[in-house]
Amino acid sequence: MTEHPATDAPSCTCVPPWPALAAVIEGTVYLAAPARAHPPASALYLARCTVCGAPYTRPWRRLTPDTRAA
């Protein structure tokens, strides 16, 4: 389990911000997207920007093959 950082964690410095998110869950990398509320994975694991590595401290959800755009 990855602990969430303190509220003063660095923000994404990418332009545009948060171009892509990913989370590592039990050794597997999952693509992620912002969410309205914390689903179970978001409550337990931390997503990060895939470009600059900044921690995404807001709710996120895992993307599955059927939720990704073609």
Side-chain angles (χ1 to χ4, degrees):
M1 178 166 45
T2 304
E3 292 186 25
H4 288 270
T7 55
D8 61 348
S11 294
C12 180
T13 57
C14 299
V15 178
W18 309 111
L21 299 173
V24 178
I25 301 173
E26 296 184 9
T28 301
V29 176
Y30 293 93
L31 293 179
R36 294 183 185 191
H38 282 287
S42 173
L44 296 173
Y45 298 94
L46 182 64
R48 293 186 172 272
C49 174
T50 60
V51 178
C52 72
Y56 187 77
T57 58
R58 290 174 247 156
W60 57 271
R61 63 182 172 81
R62 281 181 18 197
L63 292 178
T64 60
D66 45 318
T67 62
R68 294 182 200 157

